[in-house]
Amino acid sequence: MGLLTTRELAEQLSVSTRTVQRWVDRGWVAPELTLPSGHYRFDLENVKAQLRNQRQRDE
């Protein structure tokens, strides 16, 4: 699977696009790519790993 848009990522993770944006704003998730337009592209498996790591830090 290639890189996903914010909307596609949100759909894959069953969350809202706003939740994904909040994760990026808080530094919990880093996009693979930020386009000149400011839109993000994500790798699903990388995001899942980043969220797992964040969860472990919070415990």
Side-chain angles (χ1 to χ4, degrees), residues 1 3 15 24 40-41 54:
M1 181 180 285
L3 296 179
V15 298
V24 172
Y40 300 128
R41 295 296 180 266
Q54 181 61 42

Side-chain angles (χ1 to χ4, degrees), residues 2-40:
L3 296 179
L4 304 174
T5 65
T6 301
R7 184 168 143 209
E8 292 167 337
L9 178 66
E11 289 172 358
Q12 288 289 317
L13 297 176
S14 300
V15 298
S16 70
T17 56
R18 182 65 192 118
T19 295
V20 174
Q21 292 168 342
R22 202 172 299 122
W23 291 342
V24 172
D25 292 344
R26 292 179 180 168
W28 295 356
V29 170
E32 295 296 315
L33 179 66
T34 302
L35 301 176
S37 62
H39 293 103
Y40 300 128

